[in-house]
Amino acid sequence: MFNIVLFGAPGAGKGTQAVMIAEKFELMHLSTGDILRKEISAGSELGKLAQQYTDSGEFVPDDVIVDVIRSQMEQNSHVKGFIFDGFPRTIAQAEALDKMMNKYRLTISSVLALEVATEELVKRLQIRGESSGRADDLSIDVIRNRIDVYNQKTKPLIDYYHAQNKYCPVDGIGEIAEIFGRLCSSIEGLLNTP
Ligand code: AMP
């Protein structure tokens, strides 16, 4: 299996790029945000719980998210690999992912990090909110809170993955196709490394 994490702040372009990467490299796209939004619209217990956090831009508790990922990995053990999008977002989640990977004798090949300046993130999220109607993109306060939460809880993962030699920054500014090209070059480099 070939597994990668697509990392970056809210609005960095993870979702858009992950869909394209999943298709090109035949990986299963696991987006915790997409999974939670589906549960919320289905009105499930998980959805009701998640919405208490997503509405304000806070994180859903680690144990809930790790269970979601665990069950997805168990149900899809036949795939060629996973591209994780929006997960892990805390050190506890990254440690849980490492444990799950070890259990199945798998590894994360790389953490590809889309780098975008904060003001550009805010602009992109506001534009996305106008077209998608995503509740958490419609309020500037929620957008700012999500970026604060990212800085506080997710940024420490940069050092975590640096220490594992897996952190790979990618310029997230430019046209979608251009950024996709940069990500593909990094992935092809990984695939061609024995
Ligand atoms: P996203 O679509 O990745 O921006 O996620 C939307 C929202 O879902 C986030 O603002 C969080 O409230 C929640 N969420 C998604 N992934 C995670 C995660 N790995 N840990 C905690 N909360 C998450």
Side-chain angles (χ1 to χ4, degrees):
M1 265 205 193
F2 175 72
N3 305 296
I4 48 179
V5 171
L6 196 56
F7 185 86
K14 300 187 296 296
T16 307
Q17 297 293 339
V19 168
M20 294 159 70
I21 292 169
E23 196 189 351
K24 180 171 165 92
F25 295 96
E26 297 179 33
L27 302 175
M28 177 164 182
H29 177 206
L30 278 185
S31 156
T32 41
D34 286 353
I35 294 168
L36 296 176
R37 276 184 290 279
K38 266 191 211 137
E39 296 289 336
I40 291 169
S41 41
S44 70
E45 286 308 310
L46 170 60
K48 283 181 204 152
L49 174 84
Q51 196 168 12
Q52 295 171 25
Y53 301 92
T54 56
D55 275 355
S56 56
E58 292 297 319
F59 283 172
V60 173
D62 288 331
D63 54 341
V64 175
I65 291 288
V66 169
D67 278 348
V68 165
I69 290 288
R70 182 180 296 114
S71 90
Q72 289 288 332
M73 286 178 65
E74 283 172 2
Q75 285 168 43
N76 295 287
S77 54
H78 58 280
V79 300
K80 286 190 180 173
F82 296 104
I83 174 162
F84 296 97
D85 159 12
F87 175 89
R89 257 174 154 107
T90 63
I91 295 280
Q93 292 178 18
E95 288 173 347
L97 178 61
D98 280 346
K99 267 198 199 144
M100 286 189 272
M101 286 279 156
N102 282 338
K103 183 176 164 196
Y104 296 111
R105 302 199 185 291
L106 301 172
T107 52
I108 297 289
S109 294
S110 184
V111 175
L112 301 171
L114 287 171
E115 295 191 328
V116 177
T118 303
E119 284 320 302
E120 172 70 15
L121 297 171
V122 173
K123 229 192 293 166
R124 286 186 188 180
L125 290 169
Q126 284 181 302
I127 292 169
R128 186 169 79 184
E130 283 164 17
S131 57
S132 75
R134 233 181 94 163
D136 57 350
D137 289 339
L138 285 171
S139 146
I140 185 68
D141 292 339
V142 175
I143 289 175
R144 294 257 178 225
N145 188 42
R146 280 155 66 211
I147 293 172
D148 286 348
V149 172
Y150 166 82
N151 285 330
Q152 217 188 314
K153 298 189 175 163
T154 309
K155 258 197 172 163
L157 289 178
I158 298 177
D159 285 342
Y160 181 89
Y161 284 117
H162 253 309
Q164 294 190 6
N165 257 332
K166 289 182 179 164
Y167 189 78
C168 173
V170 175
D171 182 2
I173 298 287
E175 296 292 323
I176 290 174
E178 204 180 346
I179 301 165
F180 181 57
R182 292 178 199 137
L183 290 166
C184 289
S185 306
S186 294
I187 295 170
E188 277 150 8
L190 291 165
L191 289 169
N192 293 329
T193 309

